[in-house]
């Protein structure tokens, strides 16, 4: 899904991301611990962080960043739950934006153009969306997690979600509670245990 461009100062903070593809203006990264190999201990820790903490940059295992060659600033512009989804966004950028970027004289103009295009794509997606929420982007992310984790029928609609913990045994399990039209679901991932 396309994201409102958000500035990221460290593209590989603590080596939590692995670069899969890159070019002069864009970087496609995979969250360490997802995909091939699982990432070992680092993957377990990253998976735990992703479940306990809820932020845009930690939800999806794939992301695309925009940058210019002479800048240290990166902009998060897309994320994806699956490799296929993020590859579709990458291909769209290659086909529709890359050819245009060589025309601009300054890096500020390039970044401004890319941000404008991404905001336009988000606005177009928003017209088709029926979700009325205070923060539709966070609700969309929660809905993607809900579909991925519980694999319920497509007609099952997410109503709301909450951060909570479930106490079983000696240790509470921090996680997320999802309320849909027919189900109450809980998901927790803590040091490799779901």
């Amino acid at each position: 899904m396309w994201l409102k461009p958000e500035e990221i100062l460290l593209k590989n903070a603590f080596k939590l991301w692995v670069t899969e593809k890159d070019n002069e203006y864009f970087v496609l990264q995979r969250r360490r611990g997802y995909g091939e190999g699982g990432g070992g201990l680092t993957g377990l820790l990253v998976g735990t962080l992703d479940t306990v903490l809820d932020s845009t940059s930690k939800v999806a295992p794939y992301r695309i960043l925009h940058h210019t060659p002479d800048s240290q600033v990166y902009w998060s512009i897309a994320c994806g739950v699956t490799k296929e989804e993020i590859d579709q966004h990458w291909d769209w950028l290659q086909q529709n934006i890359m050819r245009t970027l060589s025309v601009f004289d300054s890096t500020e103009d390039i970044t401004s153009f890319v941000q404008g295009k991404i905001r336009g794509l988000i606005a177009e997606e928003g017209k088709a969306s029926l979700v009325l929420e205070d923060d539709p982007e966070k609700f969309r992310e929660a809905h993607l997690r809900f579909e991925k984790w519980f694999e319920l029928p497509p007609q099952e609609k997410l109503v709301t979600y909450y951060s909570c913990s479930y106490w079983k045994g000696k240790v509470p399990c921090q996680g997320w509670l999802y309320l849909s039209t027919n189900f109450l679901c809980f998901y927790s991932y803590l040091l490799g245990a779901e």
Side-chain angles (χ1 to χ4, degrees):
M1 102 176 108
W2 298 107
L3 300 173
K4 185 176 98 178
E6 195 173 299
E7 189 175 321
I8 296 176
L9 297 177
L10 300 171
K11 72 169 183 166
N12 281 326
F14 305 112
K15 299 294 181 191
L16 297 178
W17 294 92
V18 177
T19 298
E20 298 228 324
K21 299 178 186 178
D22 66 341
N23 60 36
E24 191 176 357
Y25 300 107
F26 300 102
V27 178
L28 188 151
Q29 294 182 323
R30 173 180 46 85
R31 187 86 163 149
R32 192 173 296 279
Y34 291 92
E36 301 165 13
L41 180 60
T42 306
L44 287 175
L45 293 173
V46 170
T48 300
L49 283 173
D50 288 349
T51 302
V52 172
L53 303 175
D54 182 36
S55 76
T56 304
S57 62
K58 295 176 182 164
V59 169
Y62 297 96
R63 71 179 181 181
I64 297 176
L65 304 177
H66 163 67
H67 70 99
T68 52
D70 59 345
S71 175
Q72 294 297 317
V73 178
Y74 287 74
W75 296 87
S76 176
I77 60 170
C79 69
V81 175
T82 64
K83 180 84 169 120
E84 293 78 27
E85 178 186 8
I86 205 70
D87 282 340
Q88 286 177 350
H89 288 1
W90 181 264
D91 293 341
W92 188 90
L93 290 169
Q94 299 306 307
Q95 294 169 6
N96 297 296
I97 293 196
M98 282 301 292
R99 289 178 276 172
T100 310
L101 296 181
S102 61
V103 178
F104 293 101
D105 294 330
S106 74
T107 58
E108 291 85 17
D109 291 344
I110 291 171
T111 299
S112 178
F113 176 77
V114 170
Q115 289 177 352
K117 279 291 193 185
I118 300 304
R119 286 188 179 110
L121 290 169
I122 292 169
E124 285 299 315
E125 283 180 356
K127 288 180 183 176
S129 175
L130 298 176
V131 177
L132 299 174
E133 182 75 21
D134 289 342
D135 192 350
E137 198 168 295
K138 282 195 175 283
F139 189 85
R140 230 178 359 175
E141 292 166 1
H143 190 264
L144 289 172
R145 289 190 308 261
F146 173 74
E147 288 176 341
K148 176 186 168 195
W149 290 334
F150 302 109
E151 298 177 358
L152 296 171
Q155 62 269 21
E156 192 63 36
K157 302 298 180 204
L158 179 63
V159 176
T160 191
Y161 63 101
Y162 303 98
S163 173
C164 66
S165 63
Y166 171 65
W167 198 291
K168 181 179 181 182
K170 296 180 181 181
V171 179
C173 299
Q174 174 64 35
W176 291 92
L177 183 73
Y178 296 89
L179 177 65
S180 69
T181 51
N182 296 303
F183 295 94
L184 181 66
C185 307
F186 177 77
Y187 181 83
S188 175
Y189 183 89
L190 187 61
L191 296 174
E194 285 188 287

